[in-house]
Amino acid sequence: MPAPECAPAAQLIAVAAARADLAWAVGEEGRNGSTRGVPLALVRDGEAWTRLDLSHLGYGGYLRSVAAAPDGSAWAVGADAGGTAHLLTWDGSTWQEADFPGRGASAISLTGIAVGTDGGVRISGRNSDGSVLLHGDGGELAWTPPPPSATTATPSGVRITLSGDVWVYDSALVARWDGESWTELTAPGGIRPAVTGLLPVTADDIWLTGYDYGVGGPPGKPPGVTLKHWDGSAWTSVAAPFTAGMLSGIVDDGQGGPDRIAGWDFWDQTRAHYLRWENGSWVSERGPTSTTPVLPIGLASVPGAGGYWSVGTTSSSPYPPAQVHIEQ
């Protein structure tokens, strides 16, 4: 899909849709390797993606997660170049700073955000007390109690199920908050892992996506695909249609079941490599061929309309001239 020109290197990290004619994508532009750029945000009005001016925010850094509600409200989280966490809300035309407990403190991180069917906001992260979930239901945000294991892990994301349970996840922590208490699963682990998504279907049917650099990499060595399944007692590695690369996000079928996974295939980089749930297994579903590499990072389904938005970048390394990439 046509995308606005952004300052290279540019990448979109997350996408969310409220309905067919309203969606948001966030990330970073102007990055050069380890030197951070500035937050990047696009909005879709049903006709085209438009790049927003975020200069009023006044900080460099990035946005890493975005969530939307059917009423057109939306939230995003990110961090500035110094690592300070930021929470943004959509005011109908652009993004504005929002308050939260611990705002501005160096010990606070915000990593992922989700909105439930009731409009309640859930944010994964960590504060100085060991809490890993920030929540709000129409009022002020508050941190939940820490998980019982007192883990030092910071979850990379958050997922809300149709029943309202909230899950936070990472390689060292997968835990469910039911509104009153925590239940922790055995950590999926790995050698040099990164967890990009979690889909809890039932208590004994949970999918996890990501990648793992294993022993000896990087540099030069591609990561290995991570696809794991929880059966109620243990995590099992599941073979994916490709092995070198990464799986970068997972969405459900609108009923809570498995549907699509976005992926980057190291050996065939000019097409995104999606996985589709079909007859009880994951099968290949390829994106359109591009003249540049395609690295999908964020994936979202469109509520009530069917279809998906997939966003990412044109390089596996955050250096110019990488540009944003969008598929539908």
Side-chain angles (χ1 to χ4, degrees):
M1 300 294 291
E5 189 82 6
C6 302
Q11 59 178 346
L12 293 172
I13 301 172
V15 60
R19 50 184 186 264
D21 62 349
L22 185 59
W24 299 266
V26 300
E28 180 181 16
E29 64 178 331
R31 183 171 175 176
N32 194 333
S34 62
T35 302
R36 283 290 181 186
V38 296
L40 171 64
L42 309 183
V43 63
R44 174 82 180 187
D45 62 2
E47 298 295 330
W49 286 97
T50 302
R51 178 177 172 273
L52 298 166
D53 181 3
L54 298 183
S55 59
H56 61 282
L57 298 179
Y59 65 87
Y62 63 100
L63 297 174
R64 63 176 294 166
S65 184
V66 62
D71 64 0
S73 59
W75 302 71
V77 297
D80 61 30
T84 301
H86 291 265
L87 172 65
L88 307 181
T89 59
W90 178 252
D91 69 3
S93 59
T94 192
W95 292 98
Q96 303 290 351
E97 291 272 6
D99 196 19
F100 61 92
R103 179 183 175 186
S106 59
I108 301 290
S109 62
L110 303 179
T111 58
I113 191 163
V115 177
T117 55
D118 61 354
V121 178
R122 304 290 184 268
I123 304 170
S124 60
R126 191 173 183 86
N127 70 3
S128 58
D129 297 325
S131 296
V132 296
L133 180 64
L134 187 62
H135 70 97
D137 293 295
E140 294 184 357
L141 294 166
W143 291 93
T144 63
S149 66
T151 176
T152 59
T154 299
S156 58
V158 59
R159 166 82 68 166
I160 304 175
T161 68
L162 291 179
S163 65
D165 287 341
V166 183
W167 291 78
V168 294
Y169 54 86
D170 198 68
S171 60
L173 175 67
V174 176
R176 174 177 61 90
W177 172 258
D178 63 8
E180 296 182 358
S181 62
W182 286 102
T183 300
E184 296 183 61
L185 305 187
T186 303
I191 299 175
R192 303 180 66 178
V195 175
T196 60
L198 186 82
L199 179 59
V201 182
T202 63
D204 58 359
D205 184 6
I206 301 172
W207 293 95
L208 180 144
T209 61
Y211 55 95
D212 195 323
Y213 276 102
V215 178
K221 178 182 176 182
V225 165
T226 295
L227 180 59
K228 294 188 176 183
H229 182 259
W230 174 263
D231 63 4
S233 60
W235 292 101
T236 302
S237 293
V238 178
F242 65 101
T243 58
M246 64 179 68
L247 300 179
S248 52
I250 183 169
V251 297
D252 65 38
D253 60 2
Q255 303 299 318
D259 187 15
R260 295 297 198 285
I261 297 174
W264 171 68
D265 187 339
F266 177 79
W267 297 113
D268 189 2
Q269 297 189 28
T270 59
R271 295 183 295 169
H273 200 148
Y274 302 99
L275 308 187
R276 182 180 74 251
W277 185 251
E278 184 176 285
N279 298 324
S281 63
W282 294 101
V283 299
S284 292
E285 185 173 74
R286 304 308 306 271
T289 302
S290 174
T291 58
T292 65
V294 177
L295 174 57
I297 306 175
L299 179 67
S301 53
V302 181
Y308 314 84
W309 286 111
S310 173
V311 302
T313 183
T314 59
S315 174
S316 59
S317 300
Y319 291 93
Q323 272 295 337
V324 301
H325 183 83
I326 302 175
E327 295 183 0
Q328 185 182 38

